[in-house]
Amino acid sequence: MNTVEVENVVKTFGDKVAVDQLSFSVASGEIFGLIGPNGAGKTTTIKMVMDIIKPDSGGVTVLGEQMNEAAKNKIGYMPEERGLYKKQRVLDVIVYLAMLKGMSRRAAEEKANRMLEQTGMLPHARKKIEELSRGMGQIIQFIVTTIHDPQLLILDEPFSGLDPVNTEASMKMVLDLRSQGKAVILSTHQMNQVEQLCDRILMVNKGRAVLYGGLAEIKSKYRNNSVLLEHEGELGEVPGIAEKRVFKNHVELFLSDDTTPQQLLERLLERGIIIHRFELATPPLNEIFIRVAGESHK
Amino acid sequence: MIRRAGFIIVTLIVPLIGILAIVAYQIITGTMEPSVEITNIGYIDEAGGFDNYTKQGNVELVRYDAVAQANEALVKEEIEQYVIITQDYLNIGMINIYTLEKQLEPPPEVTAAIKDFLSSNMLAGKVTDATIGLVNAPLGIVSIRLTETGDIATEQGGYGNMLIPMIFGVLLVLSISFSSSYLLQGMGDEKENRLIEVLLSSVSTKQLIIGKVLGMGAAGLLQIIIWVICAPLLLNVASISIGGFLSTLEITPVLFILFIVYFILGYLLFAIIFVAIGAITSSAREGQQLAPIFTLLSVSPLWFASALIFFPNNPAFIALTIFPFTAPVTLMMRLGITEVPIWQILTSIAVLLVCVVGGLFFTAKIVRAFLLMYGKRPSLGTIIRSIRSG
């Protein structure tokens, strides 16, 4: 059973179609990237999954059932802006929001203290949210999102505005969630993070799905049939190479249709060329996106 | 919310203002206190025959034969003012009063003394002294309200009875405006930092609204309870020092029940409206600009208080009693002045109830449609469209 099952949902606001016939599923133990430019319909989709807004048509099931108030307790949602009561104390905020998710005060307090301790935030438990640094606020937000042990996590731009150290720490937290068997929906437009974290992706543009599937699969589908090479020695004329592009530290070799990368590698080795790097060139997701978005634009 | 410094300050400051008002009243009345000293007023009798009854209460009338003497006495401050009873006074009934003070009109005590002095002298010898006394003070009114059976009613009218409803009106308005501003501030913050989405990922829209309304209500109620607890203490202090009608104040059970009913209904109505405002406006500041329209509406019956005292059953005030936004304050004020027919009370409670329930559904739709829009304010057309479709 998939954790999330979205089937043919449509949502229009006035004349504008925000989400058009979108279908996807998210399994437990995977990080699912919901990507696309601003205004593509990501947030609307997320709100429909959380039952904050209702689709005009189509259906959403979470953990095998239609969304209802009880199912909301199995979802952890982290908004893009860090949504916490600035004037309140850290522990109070965590406990209050955990109780809204159906935890008892006592269980919430215990778990909050344990999680604060694990993250090294216990000394700050009595501080007000506004006294925390951005990175600390992010940790608290993660605790709030996960304290009730949700099966599904929806993270909206979880790394925006974080410095590299905090980004790294946050990414580790997301990966930990996957290893605990949670289903994670990661909404972002930062493609490099998607490449680092996501197992599968759904790319939306103007409310429609333009790419859907495993990340590796998509990347190989869109690869140029070229290899990236860092080498020593003169390359000269090598059969099977249709085009050569020279970059600062490497060259990109585009193969002719009858040549496989394996054959090229053998030919290079035969010529005694010292190879530091030989890599099938997969285009960055960014490039795929621009290409696909461009196509769907036409 | 109740931990906010602003809330605590406002809650405590209202009773403090009450104490200040009592102190101020005492200081002012202290300086105005009728003096027990004898005031001397000079007079020059050109008409003749005004020789007796020169002692009138605390005023002593002193006779002078010439204007020059009277002026001299005036300058020496032996007298405060003097009058000249001219020869044709008995024909024209006019008297000039001369004084060094700048005054709009002579103090009432002085006027009364001169009047009594004149009438007593004119009547002297013609009627008995008792009649003279009656002519000087012919009418001491005691108004007594009867029930339909002819018994003396337990609840008597008067200014004292108006005071309680007035206080009710002011407290309701104060409480609504303070707590609505916290509510709007809170909702604005929640929208700005997207906490509202976190909340809605946990609870339904209706639960959110009810929670907000009850939260605002609870805070407002706490405030009122503190004020109401302070009120008898203040009244005690006040009636010891001020006395008079304040000590005669009494709240009948019916009035008390209506007070509670209207307070709760009025509060709910305004709380629901303010949640809707919080949802439509994009920031706390914008919401607080819109809110006073409704606060002013609730307080508006107080502006017409002077008209309401004389014409409590004017159709305009009956309409205000039934119109939900003005109902609580108008009805309370009318109850203090007149007998309000049962049908008006029941109609007004029914209208309030319908508005509260209807407002809840209406607000739920608005919140669902607009709480999740950021930075853009919906146009009126968008609001109407989405209420239809939402």
Side-chain angles (χ1 to χ4, degrees):
Chain A
M1 181 187 74
N2 283 319
T3 306
V4 178
E5 202 71 66
V6 175
E7 272 174 72
N8 298 319
V9 292
V10 177
K11 182 72 195 177
T12 52
F13 294 114
D15 313 327
K16 192 175 171 284
V17 182
V19 173
D20 191 6
Q21 293 288 332
L22 208 59
S23 298
F24 62 91
S25 61
V26 184
S28 58
E30 78 169 347
I31 299 177
F32 184 82
L34 186 58
I35 60 181
N38 295 327
K42 299 186 302 258
T43 307
T44 307
T45 307
I46 287 177
K47 284 175 184 168
M48 285 192 285
V49 171
M50 292 196 299
D51 197 38
I52 293 178
I53 54 178
K54 304 245 185 258
D56 299 341
S57 65
V60 177
T61 54
V62 175
L63 296 158
E65 51 184 333
Q66 291 280 317
M67 269 304 281
N68 52 53
E69 293 314 313
K72 280 190 173 181
N73 292 348
K74 295 172 189 163
I75 298 181
Y77 170 67
M78 189 163 101
E80 179 179 356
E81 310 283 320
R82 305 299 167 246
L84 296 170
Y85 293 101
K86 293 192 181 68
K87 304 261 178 214
Q88 311 260 325
R89 298 185 193 287
V90 169
L91 190 64
D92 295 345
V93 173
I94 299 175
V95 170
Y96 170 66
L97 292 172
M99 283 166 70
L100 283 186
K101 287 289 187 189
M103 293 180 82
S104 70
R105 175 179 288 278
R106 199 187 202 159
E109 274 172 3
E110 274 174 23
K111 185 95 185 270
N113 276 312
R114 199 160 67 237
M115 292 178 87
L116 286 170
E117 191 167 15
Q118 282 164 3
T119 48
M121 292 292 290
L122 202 52
H124 307 290
R126 309 295 305 164
K127 280 190 184 164
K128 287 185 180 169
I129 295 289
E130 62 188 355
E131 294 168 39
L132 301 181
S133 71
R134 193 152 183 148
M136 287 172 169
Q138 179 75 353
I139 294 173
I140 302 302
Q141 192 83 53
F142 255 102
I143 293 177
V144 165
T145 313
T146 56
I147 187 166
H148 56 292
D149 199 25
Q151 293 307 302
L152 170 64
L153 285 121
I154 300 173
L155 313 176
D156 198 352
E157 295 288 355
F159 314 116
S160 69
L162 292 181
D163 63 35
V165 176
N166 284 316
T167 304
E168 197 62 37
S170 299
M171 281 190 176
K172 191 181 166 299
M173 285 192 257
V174 175
L175 290 169
D176 284 347
L177 291 171
R178 170 170 63 185
S179 56
Q180 290 162 24
K182 316 277 189 207
V184 181
I185 297 179
L186 187 71
S187 164
T188 182
H189 55 258
Q190 286 175 290
M191 303 298 177
N192 57 333
Q193 290 161 0
V194 175
E195 295 198 43
Q196 283 179 60
L197 294 171
C198 293
D199 302 300
R200 290 192 313 127
I201 60 163
L202 171 69
M203 192 179 274
V204 282
N205 192 30
K206 295 181 170 40
R208 287 168 174 275
V210 289
L211 272 181
Y212 176 51
L215 188 62
E217 191 186 317
I218 287 173
K219 289 191 81 165
S220 81
K221 186 174 155 203
Y222 280 86
R223 71 189 178 86
N224 292 327
N225 196 26
S226 68
V227 296
L228 304 179
L229 181 71
E230 267 181 65
H231 65 283
E232 277 176 38
E234 192 56 42
L235 210 53
E237 276 295 315
V238 183
I241 292 178
E243 194 194 332
K244 184 169 86 177
R245 281 190 207 160
V246 181
F247 293 93
K248 191 170 165 236
N249 292 321
H250 69 277
V251 288
E252 182 171 6
L253 305 174
F254 290 82
L255 310 185
S256 54
D257 291 341
D258 56 351
T259 313
T260 64
Q262 191 61 39
Q263 288 168 331
L264 179 68
L265 181 61
E266 279 165 14
R267 283 173 204 165
L268 292 174
L269 290 171
E270 275 166 21
R271 287 165 187 248
I273 290 168
I274 298 164
I275 296 172
H276 294 302
R277 173 181 167 207
F278 184 89
E279 182 187 329
L280 296 181
T282 51
L285 208 49
N286 220 2
E287 206 169 285
I288 299 177
F289 177 68
I290 289 164
R291 227 194 284 174
V292 172
E295 275 167 22
S296 76
H297 203 64
K298 289 168 197 163
Chain B
M1 179 172 129
I2 55 166
R3 274 194 236 161
R4 279 188 198 231
F7 180 83
I8 295 167
I9 290 170
V10 166
T11 307
L12 294 182
I13 215 159
V14 169
L16 273 178
I17 290 173
I19 292 171
L20 277 180
I22 292 171
V23 171
Y25 181 88
Q26 275 183 307
I27 292 170
I28 292 167
T29 52
T31 55
M32 293 194 324
E33 203 117 304
S35 53
V36 285
E37 289 168 35
I38 302 293
T39 307
N40 287 327
I41 295 178
Y43 76 97
I44 298 163
D45 181 12
E46 293 176 357
F50 293 91
D51 305 318
N52 301 313
Y53 305 102
T54 51
K55 177 91 174 66
Q56 292 289 343
N58 293 323
V59 177
E60 178 81 48
L61 285 114
V62 185
R63 187 189 174 102
Y64 293 93
D65 292 325
V67 172
Q69 289 171 357
N71 275 337
E72 199 186 322
L74 192 64
V75 173
K76 283 185 185 162
E77 294 184 0
E78 289 168 5
I79 52 173
E80 283 187 3
Q81 39 222 326
Y82 68 87
V83 293
I84 301 179
I85 307 164
T86 52
Q87 280 178 349
D88 58 351
Y89 163 71
L90 288 172
N91 299 322
I92 60 171
M94 297 283 290
I95 288 261
N96 285 346
I97 189 161
Y98 300 92
T99 176
L100 296 175
E101 304 281 327
K102 205 181 199 177
Q103 58 190 17
L104 284 171
E105 54 178 37
E109 214 188 353
V110 170
T111 316
I114 296 171
K115 180 184 135 297
D116 292 351
F117 165 71
L118 292 172
S119 51
S120 302
N121 274 300
M122 286 188 285
L123 291 171
K126 294 171 186 145
V127 296
T128 60
D129 270 8
T131 312
I132 292 177
L134 259 177
V135 168
N136 286 339
L139 185 68
I141 289 187
V142 181
S143 144
I144 295 168
R145 186 169 161 251
L146 297 179
T147 62
E148 279 160 10
T149 56
D151 298 325
I152 293 174
T154 46
E155 190 189 334
Q156 295 289 330
Y159 288 102
N161 278 7
M162 262 172 53
L163 198 74
I164 296 270
M166 289 279 185
I167 291 174
F168 165 85
V170 172
L171 286 187
L172 177 65
V173 170
L174 274 181
S175 199
I176 286 175
S177 37
F178 289 137
S179 30
S180 71
S181 94
Y182 296 131
L183 178 92
L184 289 172
Q185 183 68 45
M187 276 186 84
D189 288 349
E190 281 172 354
K191 279 179 81 173
E192 272 159 39
N193 60 24
R194 304 230 165 171
L195 238 176
I196 206 91
E197 289 177 18
V198 177
L199 297 178
L200 283 178
S201 77
S202 309
V203 298
S204 71
T205 324
K206 236 174 236 130
Q207 287 172 328
L208 181 82
I209 296 167
I210 292 172
K212 290 271 168 216
V213 169
L214 289 185
M216 177 175 161
L221 215 59
L222 178 73
Q223 206 165 41
I224 289 292
I225 287 170
I226 293 172
W227 293 346
V228 167
I229 290 172
C230 292
L233 299 175
L234 280 180
L235 281 180
N236 269 337
V237 175
S239 56
I240 290 165
S241 61
I242 300 174
F245 67 81
L246 276 183
S247 54
T248 66
L249 286 186
E250 52 171 349
I251 304 175
T252 61
V254 176
L255 190 68
F256 187 73
I257 290 167
L258 284 176
F259 187 110
I260 301 286
V261 166
Y262 274 88
F263 193 89
I264 290 173
L265 286 178
Y267 214 96
L268 284 178
L269 180 69
F270 281 97
I272 287 168
I273 297 280
F274 286 123
V275 173
I277 292 177
I280 291 174
T281 50
S282 60
S283 68
R285 204 182 315 146
E286 210 183 313
Q288 277 163 355
Q289 285 165 353
L290 212 59
I293 297 172
F294 293 93
T295 321
L296 285 180
L297 216 55
S298 73
V299 75
S300 61
L302 289 174
W303 304 336
F304 307 113
S306 53
L308 199 146
I309 289 168
F310 295 111
F311 314 106
N313 292 318
N314 183 295
F317 291 120
I318 296 176
L320 287 181
T321 308
I322 292 165
F323 183 60
F325 292 107
T326 49
V329 174
T330 315
L331 185 87
M332 281 299 142
M333 284 169 63
R334 289 181 63 205
L335 278 177
I337 298 159
T338 181
E339 194 76 19
V340 182
I342 293 288
W343 72 266
Q344 287 179 17
I345 298 179
L346 291 180
T347 313
S348 120
I349 290 179
V351 170
L352 262 173
L353 268 176
V354 167
C355 286
V356 166
V357 175
L360 194 63
F361 281 100
F362 181 79
T363 302
K365 286 197 163 190
I366 288 192
V367 170
R368 218 166 154 83
F370 296 107
L371 213 44
L372 307 166
M373 290 179 130
Y374 297 94
K376 35 186 167 176
R377 189 175 27 179
S379 68
L380 199 61
T382 330
I383 295 176
I384 293 165
R385 258 205 313 283
S386 68
I387 287 165
R388 279 210 208 114
S389 67

